[in-house]
Amino acid sequence: MRLPSSELEALKAAGLGRTMRLLEERQGSQVVADGKVLQSFASNDYLGFSQEPKIAQAMAEGLQIHGVGSAASRLVSGTFGPHKLLEEKIAASKQAEAALVFSSGYATALGCIPAIVGKGDYVIIDKLAHACLIDACRLSGATLRVYPHQHLDRLESLLSFVRGKFPTARILVVTESVFSMDGDVCKLLETVELVERFDAMLWLDEAHGLGVFGERGMGLAEQENLQARIAFQMGTLSKSAGLSGGYVAASQAWIDLFVHKARSFVYSTAPPPALAHAACVAWDCMQSDMGRERRQMLRERIQMMAQVADVFSPIIPLVLGRNEAALEASKLLEDAGFWVPAIRFPTVPHGKARLRISLSAVHPLPEIERLIPYLLGLR
Ligand SMILES: *Cc1c(COP(=O)(O)O)cnc(C)c1O
């Protein structure tokens, strides 16, 4: 039989070796790894909430009240107050009837999409959608169609063809508000209009939109006032909210169906109630003046990066092509005291290896100023 070591060697030889670095310390956006002090541009902590004392305090309070674990699936051993409260908050702020929380964004997609579509149905997905969405679509057993990234004319022709041929099939269109490795923003209004025209449903992943867009930080759908027109608004609590967990907001009937059918909900232990308790506080913070201030700080930092590239979000890719080029650039930046990860296949297509800079409201301005000339030199 093939040994894992032979696969590992092949990956390394192709410039695709990966390691997890031990973080010895973390303070704000600064980390200590392998004894080196680095300014990290690698996290998705857009608002700096992962170390926010108010949220940490809520977690501690949640532990005091509820203990450390939830002990079983919510269907088996009961649901806790904080899970329910969090879902009510999410539903209300997404203009949806109901919401359901999961242990991660990945688990949300993997559980729900196969509960929406199955054999005989269709999913139509943007080519650059996140791995968890692709996996979920494949798992569903529905027929999968892919449209080139942001090519809505192709989405339209696929919708027209499928709806014409299968008048009663469920058709789910799957896309993201902010694409995770390219940082560009979905043409949401046009997408919503197409989905409505062909009597399909939209699954919108706001993983990188939540906290970043919208007056109350609820994402691109809030900003464009389209929340009520989107069947499924998914997101994660692991990025702007600073914690971990995933959610979907939808109609009551769909949420009820997920409670019956989403296997990552039914057959997985509920996230710790203390986490849900902290997430309630993080959610309030995101919507409050504090969230607004952080968004303002983030915008200021995003604007600084306009010198380097076209920027639409806190995610700025610098596409370099070859794996080795991306690794070398990452190493060069590390020597200068920055942690900017090299992103390679299969996270991005072959030949599109890149640096991915992600900004946070808590990045010190002088550190961004110091980074920019290096990026300009690499471009
Ligand atoms: C990170 C991410 C997820 C997964 O969320 P987790 O909570 O980390 O599992 C889903 N979709 C997109 C677009 C993401 O970037």
Side-chain angles (χ1 to χ4, degrees):
M1 279 192 295
R2 288 180 302 133
L3 294 172
S5 55
S6 64
E7 271 184 62
L8 282 168
E9 275 154 29
L11 285 170
K12 281 180 197 152
L16 294 172
R18 295 183 184 222
T19 52
M20 289 187 279
R21 302 184 62 173
L22 180 67
L23 292 184
E24 286 141 32
E25 266 180 62
R26 182 171 72 138
Q27 195 164 69
S29 54
Q30 183 172 298
V31 299
V32 180
D34 306 318
K36 276 186 265 187
V37 179
L38 298 170
Q39 193 59 228
S40 172
F41 289 88
S43 85
N44 300 311
D45 191 12
Y46 302 120
L47 303 180
F49 277 12
S50 72
Q51 297 167 79
E52 171 56 40
K54 246 172 123 167
I55 301 169
Q57 206 185 325
M59 182 91 98
E61 192 183 279
L63 291 170
Q64 284 296 322
I65 303 170
H66 302 284
V68 290
S70 59
S73 165
R74 288 162 66 189
L75 284 167
V76 173
S77 68
T79 192
F80 290 84
H83 293 127
K84 230 176 141 274
L85 180 62
L86 178 60
E87 287 166 351
E88 284 164 9
K89 279 180 190 292
I90 293 173
S93 38
K94 297 272 171 183
Q95 291 182 16
E97 287 173 6
L100 194 64
V101 297
F102 292 74
S103 52
S104 71
Y106 200 111
T108 307
L110 227 61
C112 297
I113 291 179
I116 303 168
V117 284
K119 210 167 171 319
D121 297 322
Y122 277 77
V123 267
I124 309 180
I125 185 169
D126 185 287
K127 172 90 177 134
L128 293 189
H130 190 263
C132 72
L133 302 173
I134 299 168
D135 293 355
C137 291
R138 286 190 181 141
L139 186 65
S140 74
T143 304
L144 181 58
R145 292 283 177 263
V146 180
Y147 60 97
H149 181 50
Q150 299 267 36
H151 281 248
L152 296 191
D153 51 338
R154 293 292 301 281
L155 172 61
E156 180 178 1
S157 48
L158 282 167
L159 277 168
S160 165
F161 176 79
V162 174
R163 184 45 87 218
K165 218 165 157 204
F166 304 99
T168 61
R170 284 182 184 163
I171 306 176
L172 185 67
V173 173
V174 176
T175 191
E176 293 175 26
S177 57
V178 178
F179 287 85
S180 59
M181 294 300 139
D182 290 70
D184 58 335
V185 173
C186 158
K187 298 171 203 160
L188 192 55
L189 177 61
E190 290 96 315
T191 308
V192 166
E193 284 173 345
L194 280 176
V195 164
E196 288 173 346
R197 200 166 108 216
F198 292 99
D199 190 25
M201 297 177 285
L202 181 61
W203 177 281
L204 181 69
D205 183 346
E206 290 260 25
H208 300 276
L210 185 76
V212 174
F213 291 107
E215 173 59 22
R216 289 158 67 82
M218 291 297 102
L220 189 66
E222 185 209 350
Q223 179 160 299
E224 310 221 332
N225 198 20
L226 291 168
Q227 293 185 119
R229 291 167 69 181
I230 299 169
F232 306 102
Q233 299 178 74
M234 168 206 161
T236 167
L237 302 168
S238 61
K239 286 158 184 160
S240 285
L243 293 155
S244 79
Y247 67 83
V248 63
S251 71
Q252 187 68 56
W254 278 114
I255 296 296
D256 287 347
L257 193 65
F258 296 155
V259 169
H260 288 80
K261 275 181 77 182
R263 294 168 67 85
S264 58
F265 178 84
V266 177
Y267 298 105
S268 186
T269 298
L275 187 68
H277 186 76
C280 287
V281 172
W283 199 266
D284 291 344
C285 287
M286 253 186 314
Q287 299 197 321
S288 70
D289 285 345
M290 175 186 160
R292 264 186 281 276
E293 274 162 34
R294 296 285 172 101
R295 275 189 287 289
Q296 184 49 40
M297 289 162 71
L298 184 61
R299 263 195 298 277
E300 197 183 327
R301 284 154 180 77
I302 293 172
Q303 274 154 18
M304 289 170 74
M305 295 297 283
Q307 302 169 56
V308 177
D310 294 333
V311 289
F312 309 99
S313 74
I315 302 167
I316 296 117
L318 210 67
V319 179
L320 297 169
R322 290 169 35 251
N323 294 331
E324 292 74 14
L327 288 169
E328 278 159 26
S330 178
K331 178 74 176 55
L332 182 136
L333 292 175
E334 182 172 328
D335 292 341
F338 302 110
W339 182 341
V340 180
I343 308 288
R344 292 157 290 157
F345 181 82
T347 312
V348 294
H350 278 301
K352 295 263 176 80
R354 66 195 64 183
L355 293 177
R356 176 182 185 269
I357 300 119
S358 63
L359 297 174
S360 168
V362 298
H363 274 129
L365 294 176
E367 287 296 322
I368 298 181
E369 272 161 14
R370 201 168 75 77
L371 174 66
I372 286 172
Y374 287 98
L375 298 177
L376 288 172
L378 285 167
R379 212 174 41 167

